[in-house]
C-alpha cells in the first residue's frame, strides 16, 4: 500500500518500526526497511554498555548506521532528541552525524522544536514528530513548525506511556481532526491486520509500531523474556508510574517492587532511583534479568503468539490487498 506517508518517507509500505532504545539495532532496522517499511535506530541502538561520553555516543551510532547501510540500501531513520528550550550536549553532534551519514528521516520525540525541524529540512531530512503526550495543541504546533508526519500515540503503547490516559481509539481521530494537512500515523497496540485496519479506519495514514517488532525473530530482546511476553496477555503486565509517566512491565522481582512502591505513593525520585534510569530496561530486556530489570511492552501482546520474522509481521500489517 502506498499513500502520502510512504511517498514522504520514500518507502513502499507506510509502516515505521518505532525507536526502542537498546532493543533496536542494525539487524532489526534493516529487516524492516528491506521489507518495505522504515526501520529506526533508537538511543543506544546495538549497544550493550552505557557511555555518557558525547563523542563515543556519536561514534557508536555512526558505526550502527554504517551497519544498516551494509545490510540495506532502503531508507531508515534515527531517533533524534531535539528541544529548542534545552538542547543537551548530544543534540548538535547527533544532528551533524545525521547530516554526515545522509540519514533520510529523523524521528523527533518530545517537544515541538521549530529550530531543529528547520535545520533538518535545510538538510533534506524528513521530520516525523511524536509528542510523548499528544494533544490538539502540540499537533497544531508541530504542523505549523513544518513536521512532515505526526504520530498520535495512545495509552496502549509500550515504553514510556503518555500521562493522559487516552487510548489509541481516541487519540488518533482527535489528532486527525486537529491538523489541516499533515498525515497522522497511529501508535499503540498495533500488531496485526485487525489493529492495522482499525488504525486506518480512524483516519491514520500509517502505522508506528514497537511491540510487534520487539517480539520478532530478528529482535535482540533476551530469549527468555521474548518467550514470556509471547505467552503473556495485556492483563499480565504490571503497572507503575514515576509521576507523571506510566510504565508497564512483565512481572518479576523488580516490576513487583516498582508496582508496590507506586501503589504506596512513592515519589518520582524514589521510583527513578529504583529504576536506575535506563538500567532497568537494559537488564530486563537485553540480559533477560527480571529480578533486577523490567520488560516493557504495549497492550497488543495478547495477539502475538510466536516470534515471527519481520517480513511476516510486515505482511500482516500491510493492507495493500484490502486497499486495492
Ligand atoms: C521497550 C520499549 C522501548 C521504547 N523506547 C523508546 C525510545 O527510546 N524512544 C521513544 O521515543 N519511544 C520509545 N518507545 C515507544 C515506541 O517508540 C512506540 O511509541 C511504541 O512502541 C508504540 O506502541 P506499541 O509498542 O504498542 O507498538 C519504546 C517502546 C518499547 C516497547
Amino acid at each position: 500500500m502506498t499513500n502520502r506517508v510512504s511517498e514522504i518517507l520514500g518507502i513502499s509500505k507506510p509502516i515505521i518500526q518505532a525507536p526502542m532504545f537498546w532493543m533496536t539495532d542494525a539487524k532489526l532496522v534493516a529487516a524492516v526497511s528491506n521489507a518495505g517499511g522504515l526501520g529506526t535506530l533508537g538511543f543506544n541502538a546495538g549497544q550493550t554498555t552505557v557511555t555518557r561520553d558525547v563523542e563515543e555516543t556519536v561514534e557508536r551510532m555512526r558505526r550502527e548506521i554504517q551497519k544498516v547501510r551494509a545490510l540495506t540500501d532502503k531508507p531508515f531513520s534515527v531517533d533524534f532528541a531535539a528541544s529548542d528550550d534545552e538542547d543537551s550536549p548530544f543534540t548538535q553532534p547527533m544532528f551533524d552525524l545525521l547530516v554526515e551519514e545522509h540519514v533520510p528521516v529523523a524521528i523527533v520525540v518530545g517537544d515541538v522544536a521549530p529550530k531543529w525541524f528547520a535545520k533538518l529540512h535545510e538538510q533534506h531530512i524528513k521530520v516525523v514528530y511524536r509528542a510523548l503526550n499528544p494533544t490538539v495543541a502540540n499537533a497544531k504546533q508541530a504542523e505549523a513548525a513544518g513536521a512532515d508526519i505526526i504520530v498520535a500515540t495512545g495509552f496502549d503503547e509500550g515504553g514510556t506511556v503518555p500521562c493522559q490516559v487516552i487510548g489509541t481509539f481516541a487519540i488518533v481521530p482527535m489528532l486527525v481532526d486537529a491538523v489541516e494537512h499533515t498525515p497522522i500515523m497511529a501508535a499503540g497496540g498495533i500488531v496485526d491486520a485487525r489493529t492495522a485496519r482499525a488504525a486506518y479506519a480512524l483516519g491514520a495514514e500509517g502505522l508506528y509500531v514497537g511491540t510487534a517488532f520487539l517480539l520478532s525473530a530478528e529482535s535482540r530482546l533476551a530469549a527468555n523474556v521474548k518467550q514470556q511476553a509471547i505467552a503473556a496477555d495485556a492483563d499480565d503486565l504490571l503497572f507503575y508510574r514515576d509521576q507523571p509517566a506510566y510504565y508497564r512491565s512483565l512481572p518479576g522481582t523488580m516490576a513487583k517492587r516498582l508496582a508496590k512502591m507506586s501503589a504506596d505513593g512513592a515519589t518520582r525520585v524514589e521510583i527513578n532511583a529504583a529504576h536506575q534510569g535506563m538500567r532497568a530496561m537494559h537488564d530486563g530486556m537485553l540480559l533477560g534479568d527480571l529480578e533486577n530489570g523490567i520488560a516493557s511492552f504495549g497492550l497488543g501482546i495478547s495477539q502475538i503468539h510466536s516470534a515471527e520474522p519481520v517480513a511476516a509481521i510486515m505482511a500482516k500489517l500491510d493492507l495493500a490487498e484490502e486497499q486495492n
Side-chain angles (χ1 to χ4, degrees), residues 127-170:
V127 175
V128 176
Y129 171 70
R130 185 173 88 87
L132 283 173
N133 296 297
T135 61
V136 167
N138 59 32
K140 284 182 187 295
Q141 252 185 322
E143 179 165 67
D148 296 286
I149 292 170
I150 297 173
V151 181
T153 310
F155 197 70
D156 316 45
E157 76 158 335
T160 306
V161 184
C163 312
Q164 297 131 304
V165 186
I166 304 179
T168 305
F169 252 75

Side-chain angles (χ1 to χ4, degrees), residues 16-284:
I16 293 181
Q17 167 256 308
M20 293 178 288
F21 277 125
W22 306 90
M23 305 319 304
T24 57
D25 63 4
K27 183 177 165 196
L28 178 66
V29 168
V32 173
S33 291
N34 280 330
L38 190 82
T40 307
L41 292 171
F43 304 135
N44 289 310
Q47 304 306 312
T48 51
T49 57
V50 184
T51 175
R52 295 301 305 161
D53 184 77
V54 175
E55 208 175 308
E56 176 63 16
T57 301
V58 170
E59 286 317 305
R60 286 179 176 197
M61 185 58 91
R62 189 189 307 279
R63 288 197 289 274
E64 208 60 28
I65 289 171
Q66 289 169 351
K67 281 189 204 166
V68 175
R69 288 239 184 269
L71 295 170
T72 184
D73 56 1
K74 301 279 194 309
F76 61 96
S77 59
V78 173
D79 193 354
F80 174 58
S83 158
D84 286 358
D85 294 336
E86 35 167 341
D87 289 333
S88 87
F90 294 92
T91 310
Q92 183 68 46
M94 283 302 288
F95 173 80
D96 295 340
L97 174 71
L98 300 190
V99 175
E100 286 158 19
E101 295 298 325
H102 306 287
V103 173
V105 182
I107 308 246
V108 180
V109 180
D111 298 335
V112 177
K115 177 183 88 186
W116 288 103
F117 287 14
K119 281 169 141 274
L120 289 162
H121 281 149
E122 273 166 27
Q123 299 296 328
H124 310 290
I125 298 172
K126 300 288 184 197
V127 175
V128 176
Y129 171 70
R130 185 173 88 87
L132 283 173
N133 296 297
T135 61
V136 167
N138 59 32
K140 284 182 187 295
Q141 252 185 322
E143 179 165 67
D148 296 286
I149 292 170
I150 297 173
V151 181
T153 310
F155 197 70
D156 316 45
E157 76 158 335
T160 306
V161 184
C163 312
Q164 297 131 304
V165 186
I166 304 179
T168 305
F169 252 75
I171 203 76
V172 174
M174 187 175 102
L175 291 209
V176 167
D177 292 348
V179 297
E180 299 280 332
H181 54 80
T182 311
I184 300 291
M185 295 184 83
I190 301 162
V191 295
D192 59 8
R194 281 181 294 178
T195 44
R197 221 175 280 131
Y200 288 117
L202 295 169
E205 294 180 57
L207 313 174
Y208 189 91
V209 176
T211 295
F213 292 121
L214 196 52
L215 293 176
S216 66
E218 287 89 338
S219 117
R220 66 199 302 245
L221 180 64
N224 61 323
V225 169
K226 206 181 271 189
Q227 283 317 312
Q228 197 176 326
I230 284 167
D233 282 315
D235 59 357
D236 293 317
L237 296 174
L238 297 182
F239 197 56
Y240 62 95
R241 60 184 314 197
D242 78 352
Q243 301 276 2
Y246 290 89
Y247 298 89
R248 300 186 176 92
S249 173
L250 283 178
T253 311
M254 173 61 91
K256 283 183 189 152
R257 182 171 155 219
L258 289 164
K260 179 164 187 327
M261 284 175 71
S262 168
D264 291 346
T267 63
R268 175 166 217 188
V269 174
E270 288 163 342
I271 295 270
N272 263 329
H275 212 249
Q276 295 178 67
M278 291 184 305
R279 186 89 230 166
M281 188 181 282
H282 170 279
D283 290 358

